[in-house]
Amino acid sequence: MKAISKGLMPTVVVCIALMGASIAFIVMGAGLPLESAMFPLAVLGVVCVLSVVLLVQSCLQDRKREAGEGHPESLGKVVLGLFCVLVYLVAVAKLGFYASTFLMIPLMSAAFGYRRWERGLFGSALFTVMLYLLFDMAMGRSLPHGWLM
C-alpha cells in the first residue's frame, strides 16, 4: 500500500479525528432519551459521513496532484481552521451562540481569503437569523446564551 503523501496528511488527520470524535459522542449519546438526543446524534452522524466524503475527495485530489494537476494542501490553513474552531467554542461560552456565530462567519471567511465584507456580513446575519428562527421559534429550543445574548 502506498504511503500517504505529505500534502494529504493534514486532511487525513482531521478527517480521522472528526470520525473518531463523532463515533465516540454517538456512543456516549446513545443512552440519552431519544427526544433530547435525536438532533445531536443526527448531526454527529452527518459529521461522520461528511468526514468520510472529505477523505475520499482528498484522496482523489491527491492522485490528481501526483499527475501534476491541482494544488497541495496547506498545513497552515488546516491549523488556522482548527484554531478558529477553538476560538469559536470559547466565544460561544462567553458571548453566546448567536453573537459568536455572527462574528465568526465573516472572520473565518476573511482568514481563508474571502474579501467581500459586505456579502460576508449579510450572509452571516442571514444565517444567524435563520438559526434563531429555526431553533428558538420553530423548535422552541434555546441555544447557549452568553453575556451578549
Side-chain angles (χ1 to χ4, degrees):
M1 186 172 160
K2 189 184 117 200
I4 297 172
S5 74
K6 246 184 175 179
L8 184 61
M9 189 53 125
T11 301
V12 170
V13 170
V14 170
C15 289
I16 291 172
L18 283 173
M19 285 185 280
S22 296
I23 291 168
F25 284 122
I26 287 171
V27 169
M28 285 190 277
L32 297 173
L34 184 60
E35 184 179 294
S36 60
M38 185 170 46
F39 183 73
L41 291 176
V43 169
L44 289 167
V46 169
V47 167
C48 194
V49 168
L50 291 176
S51 297
V52 171
V53 169
L54 178 61
L55 185 60
V56 169
Q57 284 180 340
S58 296
C59 289
L60 293 175
Q61 287 177 352
D62 191 49
R63 288 184 182 170
K64 285 183 181 179
R65 276 194 294 277
E66 287 174 357
E69 303 171 19
H71 302 287
E73 296 175 11
S74 167
L75 178 60
K77 285 195 176 187
V78 172
V79 171
L80 177 63
L82 292 174
F83 178 73
C84 287
V85 169
L86 291 175
V87 169
Y88 178 69
L89 292 174
V90 171
V92 167
K94 300 290 183 189
L95 304 176
F97 179 80
Y98 298 114
S100 58
T101 299
F102 173 74
L103 294 172
M104 193 56 73
I105 290 172
L107 292 175
M108 284 182 77
S109 298
F112 287 101
Y114 190 72
R115 299 289 178 236
R116 300 184 83 172
W117 279 95
E118 321 75 44
R119 287 187 181 184
L121 288 174
F122 176 75
S124 181
L126 182 65
F127 183 70
T128 305
V129 167
M130 295 303 290
L131 286 174
Y132 175 77
L133 292 174
L134 174 67
F135 286 99
D136 278 309
M137 297 298 188
M139 293 173 54
R141 302 282 184 221
S142 181
L143 293 174
H145 294 281
W147 45 269
L148 272 185
M149 186 173 171

